């Protein structure tokens, strides 16, 4: 009876699956449960972010303390942050300036005292020009909130250009990114989307629908409160030691000239996709605050295959013999591409490569199965795979 009970339990607890022979990672590792990792992980919402739990699992499985862990598509820095928290040396890069800034700020956080002192030194009430306010910002912010925001932006941009107080400026900038748009009273904007910065016309429609107008939201107390939230788990001296050795660069993953051959112990990354998300326009408020003017380049499937080929070739060059590479593919079910096709293309390109007698050996493809619980809608809408290679 006990045996029957436990086998029934096993059957009913199994994820719904159409590809029964593929190994699965425990669901918990893929899910977006709030606040499981260090508070800094949740500073901003960034499209395609890896789960800290999943990252933690593979860092522990394929690297050890002092290992060099490379993420060439670091996005909002989940891999380099978790690697540093576990005592690994994080090397990270991304083509998007915003991603580089976010990652740098997470690896070099300022303390609460530093943030308070920095903010009290600034005059956020200076008169400013309101040109562009009506067209772009009025749907989001009260004019007095906007004035404080522009004064803070000007001060941070000036300090960054002069190379003064860089660590504190970058961290305050990260705090600002996290408060520019969202639902809560702690955001600077009126009720808006926390995931992406809506266009002004979409925000106007939302305002009309909700019959809302932006109210004044004081900037400094919100930033101080946010600092306390992000640092609630503390910053260990070990973390600070490892982040001193970390490197975060703006670079194309196809050309990792800043990484020496045979120097990396693990590549752990989440691949960008063809015909994908526009990281520039969807974060236009963040880009405006930082003064970035990158242009979005959409890549077609053939361009994506070329990107993967060049990336794999660079990975094979920089990885040490016997080292692992864990590549995540997360594809929307409603999107143009199927995860299986992309997975096969990655594997095909990897198998064709050989550099100085080094090759990729496919160890495993791990699939995340969609589950039925409606509360996990986001996971249901994505097909996720991890492709794991070892260098032989
Ligand atoms: C799926 S996201 C990575 C998200 C990241 N794992 C995180 O936890 O936030 C893909 C990233 O690849 C970057 N990217 C796209 N093409 C690139 C290229 N050729 N070289 C470097 N980065 C690139 C994008 O800017 C984006 O940040």
């Amino acid at each position: 009876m006990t045996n029957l009970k436990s086998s029934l339990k096993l059957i009913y607890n199994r994820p719904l699956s159409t590809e029964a022979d593929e190994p699965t990672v425990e669901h918990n590792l893929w899910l977006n449960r709030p606040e499981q990792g260090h508070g800094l992980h949740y500073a901003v919402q960034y499209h395609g972010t890896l789960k800290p739990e999943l990252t933690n699992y593979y860092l522990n499985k394929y690297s050890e303390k002092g290992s060099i862990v490379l993420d060439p598509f670091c996005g909002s820095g989940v891999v380099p942050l978790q690697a540093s928290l576990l005592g690994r040396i994080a090397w990270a890069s991304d083509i998007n300036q915003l991603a580089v800034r976010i990652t740098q700020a997470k690896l070099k956080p300022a303390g609460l005292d530093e943030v308070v002192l920095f903010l009290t030194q600034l005059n956020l009430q200076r008169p400013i020009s309101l040109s562009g306010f009506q067209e772009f910002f009025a749907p989001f912010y009260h004019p007095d909130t906007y004035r404080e925001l522009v004064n803070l932006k000007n001060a941070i941009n000036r300090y960054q250009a002069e190379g003064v107080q860089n660590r504190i400026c970058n961290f305050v900038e990260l705090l600002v990114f996290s408060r520019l748009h969202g639902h809560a009273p702690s955001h600077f904007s009126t009720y808006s989307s926390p995931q992406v910065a809506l266009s002004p016309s979409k925000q106007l429609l939302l305002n009309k629908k909700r019959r809302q107008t932006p109210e004044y939201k004081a900037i400094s107390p919100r930033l101080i409160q946010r600092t306390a939230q992000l640092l609630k788990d503390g910053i260990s001296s070990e973390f600070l030691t490892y982040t001193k050795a970390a490197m975060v660069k703006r670079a194309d993953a196809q050309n990792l000239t800043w990484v020496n051959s045979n120097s990396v112990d693990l590549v752990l990354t989440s691949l960008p996709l063809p015909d994908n998300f526009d990281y520039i326009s969807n974060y236009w408020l963040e880009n405006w605050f930082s003064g970035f003017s990158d242009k979005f380049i959409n890549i077609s499937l053939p361009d994506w295959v070329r990107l993967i080929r060049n990336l794999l070739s660079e990975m094979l060059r920089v990885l040490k013999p016997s080292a692992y590479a864990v590549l995540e593919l997360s594809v929307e079910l409603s999107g143009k591409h199927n995860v299986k096709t992309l997975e096969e293309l990655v594997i095909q390109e990897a198998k064709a490569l050989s550099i100085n007698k080094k090759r990729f050996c496919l160890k495993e493809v791990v699939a995340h199965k969609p589950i039925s619980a409606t509360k996990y809608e986001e996971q249901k809408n994505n097909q996720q795979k991890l492709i794991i290679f070892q260098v032989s």
Side-chain angles (χ1 to χ4, degrees), residues 102-203:
I102 294 171
T103 303
Q104 284 171 336
K106 284 185 181 176
L107 295 192
K108 302 231 176 329
L112 187 59
D113 51 344
E114 292 175 306
V115 171
V116 172
L117 192 64
F118 179 80
L119 291 171
T120 48
Q121 283 168 355
L122 304 178
N123 176 5
L124 300 184
Q125 310 306 331
R126 266 196 202 133
I128 55 152
S129 152
L130 282 180
S131 113
F133 172 71
Q134 212 47 41
E135 189 182 351
F136 299 108
F137 302 98
F140 297 88
Y141 308 114
H142 185 278
D144 293 342
T145 313
Y146 178 72
R147 183 179 56 218
E148 293 186 13
L149 207 47
V150 170
N151 278 313
L152 182 59
K153 165 184 159 64
N154 291 344
I156 290 181
N157 291 177
R158 195 175 55 245
Y159 281 138
Q160 282 167 335
E162 291 167 1
V164 179
Q165 305 202 60
N166 250 343
R167 186 177 54 84
I168 301 174
C169 283
N170 288 359
F171 192 69
V172 174
E173 189 182 44
L174 175 74
L175 301 169
V176 172
F177 293 156
S178 76
R179 303 289 84 179
L180 279 172
H181 46 91
H183 289 158
S186 55
H187 287 102
F188 306 149
S189 68
T190 190
Y191 186 102
S192 187
S193 157
Q195 283 88 16
V196 295
L198 296 179
S199 66
S201 56
K202 283 198 176 141
Q203 183 63 39

Side-chain angles (χ1 to χ4, degrees), residues 156-352:
I156 290 181
N157 291 177
R158 195 175 55 245
Y159 281 138
Q160 282 167 335
E162 291 167 1
V164 179
Q165 305 202 60
N166 250 343
R167 186 177 54 84
I168 301 174
C169 283
N170 288 359
F171 192 69
V172 174
E173 189 182 44
L174 175 74
L175 301 169
V176 172
F177 293 156
S178 76
R179 303 289 84 179
L180 279 172
H181 46 91
H183 289 158
S186 55
H187 287 102
F188 306 149
S189 68
T190 190
Y191 186 102
S192 187
S193 157
Q195 283 88 16
V196 295
L198 296 179
S199 66
S201 56
K202 283 198 176 141
Q203 183 63 39
L204 267 181
L205 284 177
L206 184 63
N207 292 355
K208 245 188 203 153
K209 196 170 143 205
R210 294 178 53 85
R211 297 180 187 186
Q212 61 183 18
T213 42
E215 286 170 20
Y216 170 62
K217 308 270 192 84
I219 299 283
S220 293
R222 287 178 169 76
L223 293 180
I224 292 166
Q225 186 201 29
R226 189 65 176 149
T227 311
Q229 277 173 357
L230 298 190
L231 300 182
K232 71 178 172 22
D233 298 311
I235 298 295
S236 70
S237 54
E238 188 186 68
F239 173 79
L240 294 177
T241 307
Y242 282 102
T243 52
K244 259 193 201 132
M247 287 200 277
V248 185
K249 305 267 183 198
R250 183 176 184 213
D252 189 329
Q254 303 179 75
N255 204 352
L256 299 172
T257 45
W258 59 281
V259 185
N260 285 339
S261 301
N262 298 314
S263 60
V264 173
D265 295 292
L266 170 67
V267 169
L268 175 54
T269 198
S270 169
L271 299 175
L273 303 173
D275 303 302
N276 190 24
F277 188 81
D278 177 351
Y279 287 93
I280 309 301
S281 69
N282 281 306
Y283 301 125
W284 73 271
L285 277 169
E286 288 79 350
N287 281 300
W288 160 76
F289 188 84
S290 294
F292 296 147
S293 51
D294 288 359
K295 295 259 171 309
F296 173 61
I297 302 165
N298 190 21
I299 53 170
S300 61
L301 188 60
D303 287 342
W304 184 80
V305 174
R306 218 165 296 129
L307 164 72
I308 295 299
R309 184 177 307 149
N310 295 336
L311 163 77
L312 288 166
S313 159
E314 279 294 73
M315 276 170 43
L316 196 54
R317 177 182 69 78
V318 302
L319 278 165
K320 293 177 183 170
S322 309
Y324 282 85
V326 179
L327 309 178
E328 195 217 32
L329 272 172
S330 178
V331 180
E332 281 174 23
L333 284 174
S334 56
K336 209 167 153 186
H337 301 284
N338 174 290
V339 77
K340 190 81 192 154
T341 317
L342 300 184
E343 170 202 328
E344 281 167 1
L345 285 168
V346 172
I347 294 171
Q348 188 182 312
E349 290 298 328
K351 282 190 174 158

